[in-house]
Amino acid sequence: MKDTDLYSRILGLSDPWFVADVELDTAGGRVDVHVDHVAGVRWRCPTCGRELACRDHAEPRVWRHLDTCQFKTFLHARIPRVECPEHGVLQVRVPWAEAKGRFTLLMERLIIDVLRECATVSGTCRLMRISWDEAWNVMDRAVRRGQTRKKTTAARYLGIDEKAFRKGHDYMTVVCDLLGGTVEFVAQDRKTESLEDYYRQFTAQQLERIRAVAMDMWEPYFKATIKHVPDAAHKIVHDRFHIMQHVGQAVDKVRRQEHRELLRQEDERLKGTKYIWLYREENLPDKHRPTLEALKATNLKVAKAWAMKESLAGLWNYLSVGWAKRFMKRWLTWVRKSDLPPMRKVGEMLSRHLDNILTFCRHRITNGAAEGLNSKIMAIKRRACGYRNREHFKTAIYFFCGGLDLYPRQA
Ligand SMILES: [Zn+2]
């Protein structure tokens, strides 16, 4: 078999395309495959499909293909142009690459696979012997391709959360499909507008589909959802993990204040106990149990705050809104009457948002369902040194967590 026939088969070329010439550069470690077409064939307008004669050719182009036995392999061709009476002068589609792609379809698919498997851009560059910009370009194109193919439908159960791109500032809003386990939308900042941009892409009818939305007690998200989602007042569920986190922070504040007071009397009882108070009791490692039991028996403020936190965890077992409400009234009174300002403060916050905390009884959703996604996003962030800016971070989230159909397809 001639090398030109061999490459025609390898590339899967069919009439009118054929391999005209193959050059092997052993010293340079590369193979250059020149592809040509038979003369006199008619081509289709890429827009309407009308058959037309070849008008002329575009500038010669090069595509990187899968390596041949570790030799970098390049495909060269001149793409015919047609003049459609309706759509003007256009390049025809070629079977081995997408319009504007720098790689053949097979190479682009492999790069996508390697990116997904090795999860870093730099690793992919090394393995595939491509540049950072080339890898980035494939990723970016893959996401845009996937987003174009994705149907515009709102997820039934949404989880909305903020992510800090850099520690402590520079936030992003992430909208998850809690059932599908995918990231649906990423927006700059954590303002009302950030989330509104998500809702705005849907029709009123599509928004109707949304059954419940889990979120922290964060006013901008609440406002955006109330504004766009029909009957949102009954659909917003303040996320239990966030709530327990706020209460945990209040317990910690009580501990810090009390620890400071005790130290003044040279009492070091609370030293090194931070996490003992933050664990849920059932999750407390056995080695800490004796310490907790001993401290609980004393008349410490933090022990009281801890008891409030542990008691609140009982809320999530209620199935009836009425009983849950009665439970919360009692809990809030207990907290309000306490001499623990941080607990009183968190109690006020829960009291203000009570209606949308109780919606949990009906919808039973939490952002915790998106926990797998969260750790994925955190992992992407840890590798963020490879992502030069926020736009890149965003694209990477969509690439790895968007559940998108990323692969290029033959025209
Ligand atoms: Zn046309």
Side-chain angles (χ1 to χ4, degrees):
M1 189 187 280
K2 284 200 302 183
D3 52 359
T4 48
D5 290 343
L6 176 69
Y7 269 97
S8 283
R9 298 241 187 125
I10 289 176
L11 292 166
L13 293 183
S14 58
D15 212 33
W17 295 99
F18 64 92
V19 172
D21 190 22
V22 178
E23 287 172 83
L24 174 66
D25 173 2
T26 26
R30 61 184 278 161
V31 181
D32 287 278
V33 183
H34 297 269
V35 174
D36 203 351
H37 63 81
V38 281
V41 283
R42 293 176 71 78
W43 303 92
R44 289 186 181 279
C45 163
T47 310
C48 64
R50 192 186 313 226
E51 281 198 15
L52 299 153
C54 175
R55 178 187 187 267
D56 57 4
H57 287 87
E59 288 291 298
R61 283 201 47 196
V62 188
W63 295 264
R64 170 95 183 265
H65 186 58
L66 300 172
D67 291 358
T68 314
C69 300
Q70 311 219 13
F71 285 94
K72 282 188 182 175
T73 303
F74 298 90
L75 197 151
H76 301 253
R78 293 191 319 157
I79 302 181
R81 302 201 303 169
V82 290
E83 186 167 358
C84 175
E86 204 177 325
H87 301 103
V89 177
L90 291 165
Q91 293 187 15
V92 303
R93 290 209 184 103
V94 292
W96 59 82
E98 276 191 340
K100 293 184 181 141
R102 300 185 214 174
F103 299 100
T104 62
L105 294 173
L106 287 173
M107 180 67 168
E108 197 155 343
R109 290 184 76 99
L110 181 63
I111 295 170
I112 291 171
D113 283 338
V114 173
L115 274 168
R116 295 180 87 167
E117 284 295 322
C118 89
T120 71
V121 176
S122 52
T124 303
C125 293
R126 268 199 310 279
L127 279 172
M128 302 301 293
R129 297 189 289 168
I130 57 177
S131 72
W132 202 93
D133 281 328
E134 284 172 329
W136 186 258
N137 186 258
V138 168
M139 201 158 160
D140 197 37
R141 282 163 54 90
V143 166
R144 270 184 283 143
R145 192 183 289 130
Q147 285 178 328
T148 317
R149 287 174 188 162
K150 190 182 163 90
K151 276 189 270 156
T152 334
T153 43
R156 285 178 195 275
Y157 293 94
L158 292 174
I160 295 157
D161 211 347
E162 55 174 48
K163 292 272 163 291
F165 178 56
R166 271 175 297 230
K167 214 176 161 64
H169 52 97
D170 220 352
Y171 286 96
M172 293 168 97
T173 297
V174 177
V175 181
C176 297
D177 174 345
L178 291 178
L179 290 185
T182 51
V183 168
E184 294 294 292
F185 188 74
V186 184
Q188 227 80 285
D189 233 316
R190 49 172 178 172
K191 297 180 182 150
T192 307
E193 303 90 83
S194 320
L195 183 55
E196 283 198 88
D197 286 343
Y198 172 71
Y199 292 132
R200 278 206 189 99
Q201 52 180 328
F202 305 116
T203 62
Q205 217 172 6
Q206 286 167 331
L207 289 166
E208 200 87 53
R209 251 176 65 94
I210 299 174
R211 297 227 181 113
V213 187
M215 64 173 76
D216 192 6
M217 294 167 284
W218 179 246
E219 208 53 39
Y221 293 165
F222 187 84
K223 266 204 227 154
T225 306
I226 288 286
K227 186 168 164 193
H228 293 272
V229 178
D231 197 27
H234 296 105
K235 292 178 178 173
I236 294 173
V237 180
H238 288 311
D239 180 47
R240 59 184 267 197
F241 285 95
H242 281 109
I243 291 171
M244 293 312 286
Q245 203 175 23
H246 288 295
V247 176
Q249 280 160 359
V251 172
D252 194 49
K253 216 169 183 177
V254 172
R255 177 197 60 83
R256 284 202 316 265
Q257 286 171 359
E258 190 169 36
H259 184 42
R260 237 176 287 136
E261 286 161 25
L262 290 175
L263 279 181
R264 263 180 241 132
Q265 300 151 40
E266 287 172 20
D267 182 340
E268 294 197 339
R269 253 183 299 170
L270 288 180
K271 199 175 160 189
T273 63
K274 175 170 178 175
Y275 294 100
I276 293 181
W277 304 108
L278 294 181
Y279 273 110
R280 282 297 322 285
E281 188 169 21
E282 70 247 32
N283 300 331
L284 184 73
D286 284 338
K287 59 174 181 182
H288 295 312
R289 207 161 280 282
T291 320
L292 178 71
E293 292 306 323
L295 290 168
K296 259 164 66 181
T298 60
N299 200 19
L300 287 166
K301 285 180 182 168
V302 63
K304 215 195 281 176
W306 173 87
M308 288 169 178
K309 178 200 66 160
E310 287 301 309
S311 157
L312 181 65
L315 170 66
W316 316 114
N317 298 324
Y318 284 99
L319 295 169
S320 130
V321 177
W323 283 105
K325 196 171 188 169
R326 245 163 283 174
F327 168 87
M328 275 310 281
K329 293 275 181 211
R330 274 199 311 272
W331 189 85
L332 289 167
T333 311
W334 177 24
V335 168
R336 192 171 52 242
K337 288 185 174 163
S338 76
D339 54 350
L340 308 171
M343 296 310 289
R344 287 210 302 266
K345 200 167 163 207
V346 78
E348 277 161 26
M349 179 165 156
L350 299 192
S351 171
R352 273 201 308 281
H353 294 94
L354 188 58
D355 288 344
N356 293 96
I357 293 173
L358 297 174
T359 45
F360 176 81
C361 298
R362 201 139 47 90
H363 299 296
R364 310 202 79 75
I365 54 163
T366 80
N367 274 329
E371 206 48 45
L373 275 182
N374 272 331
S375 52
K376 246 178 161 179
I377 294 173
M378 296 321 275
I380 294 171
K381 207 175 90 172
R382 274 197 299 280
R383 299 189 299 264
C385 41
Y387 306 114
R388 287 175 196 163
N389 57 40
R390 242 183 323 183
E391 274 314 301
H392 285 174
F393 182 42
K394 211 157 128 175
T395 304
I397 294 175
Y398 283 129
F399 185 89
F400 292 109
C401 312
L404 298 170
D405 174 10
L406 300 169
Y407 295 106
R409 278 192 222 120
Q410 208 154 12

